[in-house]
Amino acid sequence: MIHKGGNIRLLLQTFPSSSSLIFKIIKPMDDIFDVMILGAGAAGLTAGIYTSRAKLSTLILNEGPVGGQMVLTNEVANYPGVETTSGYQVANIMKKQAKEFGSRIKSNVKIIEYQLESEIKKVILDDGRTFQAYSVILAPGGKPRALNIPGEDTFRGSGISYCATCDGEFFTNKEIVVVGGGNSALEEAVSLTKYATKVTLVHQFDHFQAFEHAIVEAQSNPKIRFIMESSLLSFNGKNNLESVTIKNNKSGEIFNYPAHGAFIFIGYLPNTQSIKDLVKTNDRNEIITNEDLQTSITGVFAAGDSIVKKYRQITTAVSDGTIAALGAAEYITKIKKEDKQEVVV
Ligand SMILES: Cc1cc2nc3c(=O)[nH]c(=O)nc-3n(C[C@H](O)[C@H](O)[C@H](O)COP(=O)(O)OP(=O)(O)OC[C@H]3O[C@@H](n4cnc5c(N)ncnc54)[C@H](O)[C@@H]3O)c2cc1C
């Protein structure tokens, strides 16, 4: 028997025929969603808006609060068409849109098993619930790598930032510290001189791990001072960040250094721990996709900060979510068309 569509419930219509029976697939099982989106940040919510608006049944599962990194952002000033507002507000509008078009959203879930290879994709939660879909969009996002030193949790969002594009303007006419020695740290240090009166770059080694042009540009900027071979030990202050404690790694000298703000660029961690062995990832555990944001598994797409890309912003996550959703919609149309074809046995 030729049989397409995995677990699809076959509502069998039997037609008399001289030598064969004809089976027709009429509708999928109610508990199989068209699309399952893993992650409800900017990328996942956008994908949900597009797929549910296209009348595809859509389930969004999120391992944290809805909104992802957007809800960590005090002010979003660079999202086109939206006047400066809180990240929480932008996230809430996206969530409302996705729900109004019909997306079902379940937040704070814990997924313990992924079965993505077969035509019907399945995930199992820690409470035993199982969800299935024809297509999956991975949108687990990520987080900037933290220093994990005293004071970092206290001043995160009120003095400490991991995003110059997002928060640089808040430090206009202030003195700030930038931590890191790669391209991001050097480029962002230069961009922060547009706002800050003084930028001090603290780096643990005596050399940078960056392109020559980035090093030259930073070194020739009169507003940037360098403290090399040194590490931050703590962030200090009462209500706001006032200083950082720095240790010279060579001499062992420890000193306090004034800072109204600190920007940390020591890498980025994608939230792909649980899926990195399922889909192809690079050496930084970022999901590898093609230009249509298709992953190494048929019917599985990926979007947002967790994929291999250079710029991580709400706008880029939204763009990815759109592309992945349109790809998933096209894929579903194709497999449903194949499934609907009458099969002669
Ligand atoms: C402090 C800060 C300020 C920023 N400010 C700005 C700004 O002003 N403007 C701007 O454009 N960008 C800003 N950014 C960057 C921007 O927020 C991100 O690039 C964007 O929100 C990423 O969206 P995302 O959907 O890819 O991922 P995320 O926002 O990280 O969302 C992913 C979601 O998926 C969940 N999840 C993780 N793993 C799983 C899993 N296995 N299954 C299901 N769910 C999972 C997570 O809990 C999370 O809720 C800022 C970032 C930070 C950290």
Side-chain angles (χ1 to χ4, degrees):
M1 179 193 293
I2 302 166
H3 175 293
K4 289 200 167 196
N7 288 340
I8 291 172
R9 179 196 293 157
L10 298 175
L11 297 183
L12 303 178
Q13 291 187 339
T14 308
F15 300 101
S17 162
S18 56
S19 61
S20 63
L21 293 173
I22 296 174
F23 290 89
K24 196 174 184 183
I25 298 164
I26 291 180
K27 87 181 195 35
M29 269 169 67
D30 293 337
D31 62 349
I32 302 176
F33 286 88
D34 288 319
V35 189
M36 190 153 53
I37 298 166
L38 307 184
L45 289 171
T46 304
I49 290 168
Y50 272 79
T51 54
S52 52
R53 188 151 191 251
K55 302 286 177 224
L56 296 171
S57 59
T58 301
L59 173 69
I60 305 178
L61 295 175
N62 194 57
E63 282 202 344
V66 172
Q69 292 171 66
M70 285 189 291
V71 298
L72 302 175
T73 311
N74 283 334
E75 277 190 33
V76 174
N78 54 5
Y79 191 67
V82 175
E83 287 183 358
T84 302
T85 184
S86 68
Y88 180 80
Q89 179 68 3
V90 178
N92 243 353
I93 297 168
M94 286 189 192
K95 175 182 166 187
K96 188 164 169 271
Q97 272 177 298
K99 284 181 98 165
E100 279 174 1
F101 286 127
S103 287
R104 284 173 63 187
I105 304 177
K106 294 180 191 299
S107 54
N108 298 309
V109 301
K110 178 75 195 145
I111 302 169
I112 55 163
E113 195 177 326
Y114 301 81
Q115 295 172 17
L116 303 179
E117 289 283 352
S118 54
E119 189 169 309
I120 306 293
K121 324 289 182 197
K122 193 194 271 190
V123 298
I124 302 171
L125 305 191
D126 60 350
D127 59 11
R129 281 181 296 169
T130 298
F131 296 102
Q132 305 182 95
Y134 296 107
S135 181
V136 166
I137 296 173
L138 304 170
K143 46 186 167 296
R145 192 188 289 271
L147 282 167
N148 293 318
I149 59 173
E152 192 168 7
D153 288 341
T154 313
F155 297 111
R156 184 175 282 128
S158 63
I160 299 176
S161 172
Y162 305 81
C163 177
T165 318
C166 322
D167 298 327
E169 200 188 345
F170 304 129
F171 296 92
T172 301
N173 297 328
K174 308 261 183 205
E175 293 190 7
I176 58 173
V177 161
V178 168
V179 184
N183 285 312
S184 293
L186 290 165
E187 286 167 10
E188 300 299 0
V190 171
S191 86
L192 285 163
T193 59
K194 283 190 295 220
Y195 312 107
T197 47
K198 182 165 126 191
V199 175
T200 303
L201 193 138
V202 182
H203 183 43
Q204 58 183 333
F205 302 124
D206 63 356
H207 61 279
F208 298 108
Q209 300 102 334
F211 295 127
E212 192 56 28
H213 69 84
I215 298 171
V216 169
E217 201 184 342
Q219 286 178 334
S220 57
N221 190 309
K223 278 188 168 180
I224 302 180
R225 182 187 166 196
F226 298 89
I227 301 183
M228 303 298 283
E229 293 182 90
S230 299
S231 305
L232 255 62
L233 295 185
S234 67
F235 295 99
N236 320 307
K238 287 198 179 107
N239 298 324
N240 297 308
L241 183 66
E242 292 165 13
S243 70
V244 293
T245 303
I246 299 175
K247 179 182 177 187
N248 183 303
N249 298 333
K250 217 172 162 193
S251 66
E253 182 198 356
I254 293 175
F255 56 97
N256 274 357
Y257 192 85
H260 301 114
F263 284 79
I264 300 168
F265 302 107
I266 54 166
Y268 161 87
L269 298 172
N271 292 326
T272 51
Q273 271 316 107
S274 53
I275 49 177
K276 69 180 170 47
D277 298 326
L278 303 172
V279 287
K280 269 198 188 139
T281 52
N282 66 7
D283 57 2
R284 291 188 297 275
N285 292 335
E286 297 158 348
I287 303 168
I288 296 171
T289 64
N290 66 11
E291 64 180 18
D292 296 329
L293 302 190
Q294 209 164 350
T295 69
S296 53
I297 303 178
T298 305
V300 179
F301 298 78
D305 278 12
S306 60
I307 68 172
V308 178
K309 65 176 182 179
K310 189 168 176 190
Y311 299 112
R312 294 185 163 84
Q313 288 284 282
I314 299 171
T315 46
T316 58
V318 161
S319 163
D320 293 343
T322 309
I323 295 166
L326 295 175
E330 191 179 63
Y331 169 77
I332 291 161
T333 307
K334 187 168 151 250
I335 60 164
K336 283 191 170 176
K337 208 165 159 190
E338 285 170 8
D339 283 343
K340 270 191 187 143
Q341 283 169 1
E342 291 178 347
V343 181
V344 178
V345 293

